[in-house]
Amino acid sequence: MSQASYTNLQLPISHCFSSLYLYVYISVCLCVSVSLLKRFIVPYPCKTVKMGGKIDCYLDIASLYSYLAYLDLLRNRPILASHGVTVEFHPTFLGALNQATGNKPPWTLPAKAAHGPFDAARSIARQGTYPNGSPLNITFPENLFINGKTILPLRALHCIKSKFPPETLDQTLLYLFHIFWSPPNLNLTVPENLKSTLLAVPEGFSGPTANDDKKKKLFSAEQVEEIMKGAQAEEFKGKLKKTTDEALERGAFGAPWIWATNDKGEGEPFFGSDRFHFVYKHLGLPYRDVEVLANGDDPKWGKLWRKENGAKL
């Protein structure tokens, strides 16, 4: 075979090997890319979930666990809205719930009173912060029995709920919780204290800051006068009673009392600030349940991360 013929034969063979190398290189790159995507970008499989539903939360500012449930729902409301779930807050008089059902405040029972500080400290630490990121500062009022007769501020909240946009109720409710449960634990059952507190609510309140006194206020003096008059009016006396009766009809014996309705129209009751995994399950929402992790589990991704990376479960 001539040198020219050998050269002509070698070119196509060399070309074939180059194409093969290129194919192998591209395949390896694709496999690595898919592996990285699965590991770091989509660690959990996407699931189609049914959307819709509602969470009705019956709460009283005198209830610590109402406060914690409120913070949880306020923080997660945008995510719930993305699933079509709406949240409505209902100011409800806890004292009337206790009286109607024969329930007693936990501090009146010695065993519960002894356990209460442990549970409260753990629950407060779990929430950790206000929506704006500032740390929670919660202390119990010196006389919770007196401060807990919150009929007047609850009526005022019903007036605000009826006459102002929903975000105004959100900000006011958060501020009243803050004032009730933070030093010096102002007694909001006193009309003058309630009035001064409403006058001080900063616009856009999402937690205390150093310059709250300098911020524009949520209500004008005229609006506060209207709210205070509303708190004494039969209309809002009736609304508080109606809401409390509605909670009782839905089985409430304490606060917070949650009534969750899924997209099929099926409603179920839930009690307390630490039952949201059950609420989300009833609503058909994706959520992460409480689970203990074995050695080698990644705290962020859990058991699924280990499984996808070849570890034994």
Side-chain angles (χ1 to χ4, degrees):
M1 181 182 291
S2 67
Q3 182 66 30
S5 300
Y6 178 79
T7 302
N8 291 337
L9 179 64
Q10 188 178 35
L11 285 174
I13 294 175
S14 176
H15 179 70
C16 289
F17 275 109
S18 297
S19 299
L20 179 61
Y21 291 150
L22 180 61
Y23 173 79
V24 171
Y25 175 76
I26 292 174
S27 299
V28 170
C29 288
L30 285 173
C31 289
V32 171
S33 298
V34 170
S35 177
L36 289 173
L37 284 170
K38 287 178 67 179
R39 179 173 178 179
F40 295 108
I41 299 179
V42 193
Y44 280 91
C46 296
K47 295 182 180 180
T48 302
V49 297
K50 294 183 178 180
M51 303 216 177
K54 184 180 181 184
I55 296 174
D56 289 288
C57 183
Y58 299 85
L59 40 71
D60 188 338
I61 60 173
S63 161
L64 171 63
Y65 294 98
S66 288
Y67 188 8
L68 299 177
Y70 178 72
L71 288 170
D72 199 299
L73 286 169
L74 205 61
R75 187 174 285 113
N76 287 303
R77 182 186 263 178
I79 299 174
L80 291 167
S82 73
H83 292 291
V85 176
T86 59
V87 179
E88 185 175 357
F89 298 108
H90 305 277
T92 305
F93 184 39
L94 176 57
L97 298 181
N98 286 336
Q99 185 176 16
T101 60
N103 196 7
K104 294 182 179 180
W107 68 84
T108 64
L109 303 173
K112 285 189 176 181
H115 175 72
F118 294 100
D119 191 61
R122 293 163 185 157
S123 299
I124 292 167
R126 180 179 175 273
Q127 283 299 325
T129 65
Y130 294 92
N132 69 353
S134 59
L136 285 175
N137 181 20
I138 293 179
T139 61
F140 279 76
E142 185 176 341
N143 193 330
L144 187 54
F145 182 75
I146 296 297
N147 289 24
K149 298 178 179 180
T150 50
I151 293 174
L152 185 67
L154 292 172
R155 290 174 184 167
L157 287 168
H158 272 287
C159 179
I160 293 167
K161 185 176 180 180
S162 296
K163 295 180 178 292
F164 293 89
E167 57 269 20
T168 302
L169 175 66
D170 293 345
Q171 295 168 38
T172 309
L173 190 50
L174 179 59
Y175 194 74
L176 293 188
F177 270 126
H178 164 63
I179 294 299
F180 188 100
W181 287 101
S182 298
N185 303 100
L186 194 63
N187 183 358
L188 297 176
T189 69
V190 178
E192 293 77 13
N193 290 348
L194 177 60
K195 182 177 179 179
S196 65
T197 299
L198 292 173
L199 286 168
V201 183
E203 188 174 66
F205 182 75
S206 60
T209 64
N211 61 343
D212 279 342
D213 292 340
K214 301 177 182 178
K215 290 182 179 179
K216 181 181 177 182
K217 303 309 175 187
L218 185 60
F219 301 110
S220 66
E222 292 77 13
Q223 289 172 326
V224 170
E225 287 295 336
E226 181 184 2
I227 294 167
M228 293 300 296
K229 288 179 181 177
Q232 300 290 354
E234 292 299 321
E235 177 184 358
F236 299 109
K237 290 180 181 179
K239 286 200 172 184
L240 177 58
K241 185 179 185 305
K242 181 180 178 181
T243 300
T244 304
D245 288 343
E246 181 179 87
L248 286 168
E249 290 170 2
R250 288 181 160 180
F253 52 82
W257 192 259
I258 292 171
W259 187 265
T261 307
N262 61 24
D263 60 349
K264 299 176 182 177
E266 300 166 337
E268 287 190 7
F270 302 86
F271 175 60
S273 63
D274 56 355
R275 297 293 188 269
F276 286 109
H277 50 307
F278 296 137
V279 173
Y280 299 151
K281 182 176 182 179
H282 174 67
L283 293 174
L285 303 180
Y287 68 98
R288 290 177 186 161
D289 205 347
V290 177
E291 63 174 336
V292 63
L293 303 180
N295 287 334
D297 281 345
D298 184 279
K300 185 175 182 180
W301 304 124
K303 295 178 180 178
L304 183 61
W305 186 89
R306 283 202 300 141
K307 186 176 181 180
E308 289 187 347
N309 285 272
K312 294 182 179 180
L313 296 180

